[in-house]
Amino acid sequence: MATRLLKIHILTCLFLCLCVQLDAQPVLSEQTQISLLTCSPDNKAVYTLYGHTAVRVCGQIVADSVRRNNIDIVFNYGIFDFAGPNFIYRFARGETDYMLMYYKYDDFLMDYIMRGSEVCEQTLNLTQHEKETFWQALLLNAEPANRVYRYNFFYDNCSTRPVAILERCLNGKIQFQETPSVSFREMINRCTRNHPWLTFGCDLVLGLPTDRPATFRESFFLPENVRKAFAGAEVLRPDGGRVPLVSAEQILVEAVPDDETEKNLFTPLACSLAIFLLTLSATLYGWRKKRCFSAFDCLLFFCAGMTGCVLFFLCFVSEHPSIWPNLSIGWLHPFHLAGVVLFAVKKLKKAACYYHFINFAALLSTCCAWFFLLQHLNMAFIPLAASLLMRSGYGIVAKIRNFG
């Protein structure tokens, strides 16, 4: 689907290039309006949970003293291709490339009508020179040599790029009515609040930097924050004059209420509690029978070790921002896989006991660090970490008591 849409956008873009005659450097008529389009989040896919921002140019372009062409196009910095080579691997490394493309406004609007998302239009209060400068900057960005950029969720995305271009094109400075900002994690978790597994995953892989309060400008990575900021912003002109940044605001598409409420009993917390109860039962049964249940330890620590490999990759190999430092690596790390080998070989029981001792100390240290360093703790982490702590503690006791 994404590939098909990408092809349609490319063909539309090529068609528009012919229509507007980029080589002739067409200029905008005085009646042309440039506006910011803010699309509300929807639950259709992960990448739509945070909303979207685009730029609309509606009016006429003047190719020469005679010819005038009507245009109504949208510049979209949020185009990417799922079917691109090694997409999943590149995404994990933080090497996802997005691109700017422009296409017909009607096509853009229809997409969000089908999704049931609200689309808000804010017409920018620009002088003719500012509109022309903004228009030429968008066209320059849309050229084949410039349209692809390295996407960064927090600092360089479909929402931050239009703001950065606008500020460069203004004859003056935007003054926002700044409001207290919260942490990056709080803003993300608001967007994913109806998707507990996605919240769990974000809390797991996003590290301590995500918990610092974002500055007012850094909050612009979310489109809705840009819309609210623009609504109350003013442009301070060099002569001291002030004008509103937005001359008009209207809702183009009303949001369709989502009647489908997610009712999933298998939430991260429920599953982690089930794992903890299973671990507790195995431990108590093992205590009564004077047995270690190494097979259970192998399964539990194997799952933890494989998850730790993913975390290790994200922390030390990927280019994603705000991943490291991450306290989750203290209880989910690749060394658990070494522990699996020690548990599985009977001749290595002594070494396995040493591993349990080191792991027990590391888990306790991580728990203490969590409260002192104030990294957000997802409640589902507690039963999982407690399960590992319990098995390592039992492994130490089993060695001392010489359980079979």
Side-chain angles (χ1 to χ4, degrees):
M1 184 63 181
T3 305
R4 183 169 175 268
L5 285 174
L6 182 61
K7 291 179 179 178
I8 293 173
H9 292 162
I10 291 174
L11 292 174
T12 305
C13 184
L14 293 174
F15 173 77
L16 287 170
C17 287
L18 295 175
C19 291
V20 301
Q21 301 178 7
L22 295 182
D23 291 339
Q25 291 299 316
V27 298
L28 300 177
S29 68
E30 293 184 0
Q31 292 73 33
T32 301
Q33 298 291 337
I34 298 180
S35 55
L36 192 77
L37 302 178
T38 303
C39 309
S40 66
D42 68 75
N43 295 316
K44 301 297 188 300
V46 171
Y47 62 87
T48 63
L49 291 176
Y50 306 98
H52 186 53
T53 298
V55 178
R56 180 187 183 187
V57 181
C58 179
Q60 289 184 328
I61 55 173
V62 182
D64 52 41
S65 59
V66 178
R67 289 179 297 169
R68 287 174 175 257
N69 296 316
N70 293 324
I71 61 168
D72 194 355
I73 57 178
V74 172
F75 288 81
N76 185 354
Y77 279 95
I79 302 298
F80 63 97
D81 186 7
F82 275 126
N86 303 315
F87 178 83
I88 299 299
Y89 175 75
R90 290 176 60 84
F91 178 81
R93 279 187 56 89
E95 296 178 351
T96 307
D97 288 333
Y98 276 49
M99 68 179 72
L100 167 65
M101 301 198 72
Y102 58 98
Y103 43 95
K104 295 179 181 178
Y105 164 74
D106 290 340
D107 293 340
F108 177 87
L109 201 64
M110 181 57 64
D111 186 19
Y112 285 91
I113 291 175
M114 296 293 290
R115 295 184 187 185
S117 295
E118 178 185 277
V119 179
C120 175
E121 180 178 37
Q122 294 173 302
T123 303
L124 300 177
N125 188 18
L126 306 177
T127 66
Q128 182 61 23
H129 179 265
E130 288 169 341
K131 285 190 289 187
E132 184 62 37
T133 305
F134 198 1
W135 162 250
Q136 295 298 337
L138 290 171
L139 291 179
L140 180 63
N141 269 212
E143 290 181 359
N146 305 327
R147 66 167 62 119
V148 177
Y149 69 100
R150 180 56 49 85
Y151 177 84
N152 185 306
F153 180 72
F154 287 141
Y155 306 114
D156 194 359
N157 63 15
C158 70
S159 181
T160 61
R161 287 222 156 197
V163 178
I165 294 176
L166 174 62
E167 288 183 316
R168 291 197 298 268
C169 298
L170 283 175
N171 180 28
K173 180 182 179 181
I174 302 178
Q175 286 200 336
F176 296 103
Q177 296 179 0
E178 297 193 16
T179 56
S181 185
V182 297
S183 71
F184 290 99
R185 195 185 302 273
E186 288 178 87
M187 288 187 277
I188 292 173
N189 287 354
R190 285 177 192 169
C191 297
T192 63
R193 61 189 178 276
N194 295 324
H195 300 267
W197 280 105
L198 182 58
T199 302
F200 175 83
C202 290
D203 285 342
L204 187 64
V205 303
L206 292 175
L208 191 59
T210 318
D211 291 295
R212 73 168 176 83
T215 66
F216 180 75
R217 293 303 303 272
E218 287 174 336
S219 72
F220 286 4
F221 78 95
L222 288 179
E224 182 61 21
N225 292 341
V226 175
R227 185 191 71 79
K228 291 178 180 178
F230 273 34
E234 293 181 326
V235 179
L236 179 61
R237 298 299 187 187
D239 61 2
R242 293 174 178 267
V243 295
L245 177 61
V246 174
S247 60
E249 180 174 314
Q250 62 175 326
I251 303 299
L252 301 174
V253 178
E254 295 284 350
V256 177
D258 189 359
D259 296 330
E260 297 182 5
T261 304
E262 186 176 336
K263 296 180 180 179
N264 186 2
L265 297 177
F266 297 100
T267 63
L269 182 58
C271 292
S272 63
L273 285 172
I275 292 172
F276 175 77
L277 291 176
L278 181 62
T279 304
L280 179 61
S281 300
T283 304
L284 292 176
Y285 185 75
W287 179 265
R288 288 180 58 191
K289 297 295 184 179
K290 309 300 182 186
R291 296 180 58 187
C292 290
F293 288 131
S294 297
F296 183 85
D297 286 339
C298 287
L299 178 60
L300 181 66
F301 282 80
F302 176 79
C303 294
M306 292 303 295
T307 306
C309 289
V310 176
L311 271 180
F312 186 88
F313 177 86
L314 292 174
C315 288
F316 301 108
V317 179
S318 79
E319 299 178 8
H320 283 292
S322 302
I323 297 290
W324 179 257
N326 186 352
L327 293 181
S328 293
I329 203 73
W331 66 282
L332 289 174
H333 49 75
F335 298 111
H336 286 316
L337 297 178
V340 172
V341 177
L342 299 178
F343 307 151
V345 180
K346 291 185 177 181
K347 293 181 180 180
L348 299 177
K349 280 187 177 182
K350 187 175 181 180
C353 180
Y354 289 144
Y355 179 83
H356 279 309
F357 181 82
I358 295 171
N359 187 57
F360 190 87
L363 287 169
L364 286 180
S365 299
T366 301
C367 293
C368 294
W370 230 303
F371 294 102
F372 285 110
L373 296 179
L374 301 179
Q375 180 171 322
H376 173 73
L377 178 64
N378 190 298
M379 293 302 294
F381 294 172
I382 298 175
L384 296 175
S387 297
L388 295 170
L389 187 68
M390 184 191 308
R391 291 309 297 175
S392 282
Y394 182 74
I396 297 170
V397 174
K399 177 61 178 177
I400 296 173
R401 294 293 185 92
N402 197 28
F403 289 173

